[in-house]
Amino acid sequence: MSTDSAAVQTLNRRIDELMRQHAALLTQLQQDQRRTRHLARSVWRIEEEARRRIARELHDGVGQNLVALMRQLDTIAAQLPVTAANGRDGLSRARALAQATLEDTRSLSRLLRPQILDDLGLEAALRWLARSVDGLQVELVLPEPLPPLHDDTATLLFPVAQEALSNAVRHAAASLVRIVVSLRGTGWLCMDIVDDGRGCDLDAALAAGRDGHGGGLGGMRDRVNLFDGRLNLQSTPGKGFNICIELPLRTYTR
């Protein structure tokens, strides 16, 4: 065998070995990515479960205690003699404080996770959300019927709609928001949210989010990617804002 032929064979063996190493490394990387994604999903679910429990405790625990306190104050006030004006005034102020605390508690509970989402599902939660925003016209379009959804899907989609409406009121000066939930292609559930507000520089908004000063667009994208979904954002100054989320229905349908 010539020296050149031996060198070529040696080179081919080396190339084959490098290709096997590359394939092994690629397989290991893919396995690590799957494990990392699985872990990230588990962490996300634990966080959502904590939010659910805190929200329910605020609503059913602290909220009910405040209602009981207000009733007790009303009972005491009714038992005071007519001449005890100072006592009545003090009880009235205490009741007003308890009422304000109750409203704040319920608002915080809904912000963490509205109970209607767990009790009645995404459709009812979106309809409630559309009715509950002051100073904004919300058009909601849902497929009839909305297919059964896994809890992960509802938990991903509802906060996006909630944040989009909040931003439309607080930052975009919008008067109309249109939310459309639809089925596209084979096994994809989509939610499009479009407002007529002032819009923004999307690159600047995403950069601000990475710096911790934005409206959570980067975190929204990360959560959607975590569940193999797609997030598309479109906006230009003066021309509104458009959020489109696509999630693989086949993966998370019951």
Side-chain angles (χ1 to χ4, degrees):
M1 180 181 297
S2 67
T3 304
D4 290 343
S5 296
V8 170
Q9 290 181 2
T10 300
L11 180 60
N12 286 338
R13 286 195 297 269
R14 182 58 178 161
I15 291 174
D16 290 341
E17 178 62 24
L18 288 174
M19 291 180 66
R20 284 193 294 270
Q21 292 178 4
H22 178 269
L25 287 173
L26 181 59
T27 300
Q28 183 64 46
L29 177 61
Q30 291 172 341
Q31 291 174 348
D32 290 344
Q33 288 177 335
R34 285 193 292 269
R35 283 194 291 267
T36 300
R37 178 165 290 192
H38 177 76
L39 177 60
R41 288 177 180 174
S42 297
V43 171
W44 178 81
R45 290 182 178 118
I46 290 171
E47 290 176 346
E48 287 301 323
E49 180 59 28
R51 291 166 66 92
R52 180 187 289 110
R53 290 181 179 179
I54 294 171
R56 191 171 291 275
E57 179 60 30
L58 285 172
H59 185 275
D60 296 341
V62 178
Q64 293 303 320
N65 288 342
L66 287 169
V67 170
L69 174 61
M70 292 165 58
R71 289 174 178 170
Q72 186 66 28
L73 290 172
D74 289 340
T75 300
I76 295 172
Q79 293 174 349
L80 288 176
V82 178
T83 55
N86 291 337
R88 289 178 178 274
D89 289 341
L91 289 173
S92 178
R93 289 192 297 270
R95 192 189 190 284
L97 178 60
Q99 178 68 48
T101 305
L102 176 62
E103 292 172 1
D104 290 343
T105 299
R106 288 175 172 171
S107 178
L108 180 58
S109 175
R110 289 191 296 267
L111 183 62
L112 284 169
R113 185 178 179 93
Q115 190 167 331
I116 191 174
L117 183 61
D118 294 318
D119 293 343
L120 299 178
L122 180 64
E123 179 176 354
L126 288 176
R127 293 191 186 282
W128 164 79
L129 181 64
R131 295 191 303 268
S132 66
V133 181
D134 294 329
L136 186 67
Q137 181 182 352
V138 180
E139 294 182 1
L140 182 61
V141 180
L142 298 171
E144 293 291 345
L146 188 68
L149 301 176
H150 190 280
D151 181 62
D152 287 343
T153 302
T155 302
L156 281 166
L157 291 178
F158 182 82
V160 174
Q162 192 175 35
E163 185 171 351
L165 293 184
S166 177
N167 288 339
V169 173
R170 290 162 43 196
H171 304 301
S175 59
L176 173 65
V177 176
R178 182 175 173 84
I179 302 175
V180 181
V181 179
S182 61
L183 301 175
R184 294 182 189 170
T186 304
W188 286 88
L189 181 72
C190 306
M191 184 170 71
D192 292 281
I193 306 174
V194 183
D195 70 49
D196 64 351
R198 60 169 61 103
C200 69
D201 183 330
L202 192 55
D203 291 336
L206 290 171
R210 288 190 293 269
D211 295 337
H213 302 295
L217 296 177
M220 189 186 300
R221 173 169 289 168
D222 290 341
R223 292 192 297 272
V224 171
N225 289 340
L226 189 62
F227 285 84
D228 303 319
R230 299 190 290 256
L231 175 68
N232 182 39
L233 304 172
Q234 295 180 355
S235 183
T236 54
K239 295 185 178 180
F241 201 96
N242 182 12
I243 299 174
C244 176
I245 293 179
E246 297 176 302
L247 291 173
L249 188 63
R250 63 185 182 278
T251 303
Y252 305 111
T253 304
R254 285 195 296 266

